[in-house]
Amino acid sequence: MKKIIVLVTTLLLLTTSKFLYAQKPKPPIMGWSSWNHFRVNIDEKMIREQADALVTSGMYDAGYRFINIDDGYFGGRDANGNLLINKSKFPSGMKALADYIHGKGLKAGIYTDAGMNTCGSIWDKDSLGVGAGIYGHWSNDCKLFFKDWGFDFLKVDWCGGEKQHLDEATEYLKIIDTVRTINADIVFNVCRWRFPGEWAIKKADSWRISGDISENFKSILGIIDLNAELYRYSSAGHYNDMDMLQVGQGMSYDEDKSHFSMWCMLNSPLLAGNDLRNMTKETLEVLTNKEVIALNQDKGFAQAQRIIKDGDVEVWVKQLGKGNQKALAILNRAGDAKTYELDLAKLGITTRYKVRDLWLHKELGKVDSNKSFTIAKHGIVVLKLY
């Protein structure tokens, strides 16, 4: 009898441990988030229309799955501390909205702050975000988000936590453990606006490494530089988050291509931040380039590294998961076009590879020596070597 009890106890512990901590390695998530374009000016009608557009535009076919509702849905708290939503914006409620998103074959994301007050309450004067952060309400809010409403993703900001001078590791780990107890498959994002530290790299699915992205190329380059040496902290299922995409938000076509390519090369989550209901042909072309997306979703899960910095031109190399295949990105940071001669020997590449241009969707033949490329102002060439 004693042996049976020990066996049952062991099995329960193993099962619980697997439920709490074991996750199959996942590539970075792909989807859409409301913040970049709409900030706190969101409502359920607009969110539903974004979900519709994600499916009908072809983005679903390219791999996008998440519709993430960021700050702006809050309605404060009642006298008992229960979280309320803004009924004028979301009259049908959050469960109905999550159900609608799920009905499209998509996953639904939600937002909170680690402190008492949300970022929108501080920076966008959204008074209903005051006291709406998760601080002091960890269990109840997580139950609401994931059991009652049925969301699949949580972004946890830090504006309120910073104002309260909270310890970030303490607060985030408390929230992560609460979330994982409910559902180990919830995708968790630490939005701390800088690399948070090694405490996060196996606990969170992703973590922000920078301040908020802006719709200009200087911002894009700054974030790339911040991530250049963080590849050592990225691993299967755990990624450096370079922030939501600004593709289609006012930069040039070449800048959008460079931005998107580097987010793919560096394994950042791919969360479109534009209005999906009104996209140009060029914006959609960038966001749905399946050959470039495949680098981000590659099962080798390796973040690219900057190997060559030659003036304004950089060469980044990403090891792919199949055989000895690689992806190369040649990035032109300059404000004018550059002609660059790629020397594979400088990259330590001596094998003769077939080369494919992933933006031209064109085979370039076999290359084992130097090859010249003309790269547009703020442009990029992305190659697959196989």
Side-chain angles (χ1 to χ4, degrees):
M1 184 67 179
K2 185 177 179 181
K3 288 183 178 179
I4 294 174
I5 292 172
V6 170
L7 178 60
V8 171
T9 303
T10 302
L11 289 171
L12 284 171
L13 287 171
L14 288 172
T15 303
T16 302
S17 175
K18 181 179 179 181
F19 175 74
L20 288 176
Y21 304 111
Q23 288 180 297
K24 183 179 179 181
K26 297 174 293 219
I29 68 166
M30 299 173 59
W32 173 87
S33 177
S34 60
W35 181 255
N36 279 2
H37 192 84
F38 297 96
R39 295 186 73 90
V40 298
N41 303 306
I42 62 175
D43 57 54
E44 69 177 46
K45 179 177 180 293
M46 181 275 290
I47 298 294
R48 288 176 184 237
E49 289 172 351
Q50 298 298 326
D52 295 344
L54 189 145
V55 174
T56 60
S57 66
M59 289 180 66
Y60 182 93
D61 290 338
Y64 293 85
R65 290 295 183 270
F66 283 80
I67 294 289
N68 290 348
I69 302 163
D70 210 286
D71 204 347
Y73 69 89
F74 298 103
R77 292 188 184 272
D78 66 18
N80 295 318
N82 296 309
L83 187 66
L84 304 174
I85 63 170
N86 188 326
K87 282 291 189 179
S88 65
K89 292 182 176 182
F90 296 88
S92 301
M94 302 308 277
K95 183 182 187 307
L97 185 52
D99 287 346
Y100 183 86
I101 293 169
H102 290 150
K104 294 283 180 178
L106 303 170
K107 294 181 181 294
I110 200 72
Y111 165 98
T112 190
D113 191 285
M116 294 175 62
N117 302 326
T118 71
C119 287
S121 73
I122 296 170
W123 299 105
D124 291 66
K125 303 188 187 311
D126 180 11
S127 61
L128 294 176
V130 174
I134 202 171
Y135 185 77
H137 303 278
W138 306 282
S139 296
N140 287 346
D141 282 8
C142 286
K143 176 181 177 296
L144 187 67
F145 295 152
F146 307 119
K147 286 189 174 181
D148 299 347
W149 291 349
F151 281 86
D152 310 288
F153 166 97
L154 181 64
K155 170 185 170 181
V156 182
D157 226 331
W158 187 242
C159 295
E162 183 179 57
K163 293 290 185 183
Q164 290 174 249
H165 305 289
L166 300 176
D167 178 74
E168 61 194 80
T170 300
E171 298 308 316
Y172 276 110
L173 290 174
K174 188 184 303 177
I175 303 165
I176 290 171
D177 287 343
T178 304
V179 171
R180 298 290 187 232
T181 300
I182 294 173
N183 185 347
D185 291 326
I186 298 300
V187 179
F188 192 100
N189 175 258
V190 172
C191 186
R192 174 61 188 93
W193 332 309
R194 70 183 185 197
F195 177 66
E198 293 190 27
W199 62 263
I201 63 175
K202 294 300 180 184
K203 286 284 191 175
D205 296 274
S206 61
W207 47 86
R208 279 277 298 280
I209 62 163
S210 72
D212 284 2
I213 191 172
S214 298
E215 58 272 39
N216 62 72
F217 202 60
K218 181 180 179 181
S219 174
I220 303 306
L221 292 177
I223 294 172
I224 291 170
D225 288 341
L226 286 174
N227 202 9
E229 299 302 321
L230 295 178
Y231 61 87
R232 67 199 71 182
Y233 302 114
S234 178
S235 64
H238 309 281
Y239 304 106
N240 294 301
D241 177 9
M242 299 166 73
D243 206 358
M244 298 161 285
L245 294 163
Q246 290 285 7
V247 174
Q249 293 273 88
M251 292 189 292
S252 72
Y253 174 55
D254 284 306
E255 289 170 340
D256 275 352
K257 287 197 299 181
S258 296
H259 168 26
F260 188 74
S261 298
M262 291 306 296
W263 263 235
C264 289
M265 289 284 291
L266 293 168
N267 278 14
S268 179
L270 300 179
L271 292 172
N274 57 311
D275 187 343
L276 303 183
R277 301 169 299 183
N278 303 293
M279 288 189 283
T280 66
K281 182 180 178 181
E282 287 185 338
T283 294
L284 188 58
E285 177 199 339
V286 173
L287 290 173
T288 58
N289 185 329
K290 293 182 181 180
E291 293 194 76
V292 175
I293 289 170
L295 306 181
N296 180 266
Q297 299 291 294
D298 180 72
K299 294 303 190 294
F301 306 110
Q303 179 173 315
Q305 298 180 42
R306 181 164 54 194
I307 305 301
I308 295 174
K309 186 170 177 58
D310 188 358
D312 289 317
V313 178
E314 300 173 351
V315 182
W316 296 72
V317 179
K318 177 181 173 72
Q319 185 66 46
L320 301 180
K322 186 175 181 180
N324 198 31
Q325 295 183 7
K326 306 176 190 303
L328 269 60
I330 311 171
L331 175 66
N332 178 16
R333 301 171 70 109
D336 56 354
K338 297 287 183 184
T339 297
Y340 183 76
E341 187 171 277
L342 177 66
D343 185 349
L344 293 180
K346 289 183 178 179
L347 301 172
I349 298 174
T350 56
T351 306
R352 192 169 189 235
Y353 281 96
K354 291 181 180 178
V355 179
R356 182 171 176 82
D357 188 310
L358 303 188
W359 281 108
L360 295 179
H361 306 292
K362 179 182 178 182
E363 298 292 335
L364 303 183
K366 289 188 176 182
V367 177
D368 59 2
S369 58
N370 296 5
K371 187 170 180 61
S372 184
F373 295 91
T374 299
I375 312 168
K377 162 188 173 181
H378 295 168
I380 199 165
V381 171
V382 182
L383 308 172
K384 181 178 178 180
L385 277 57
Y386 65 102

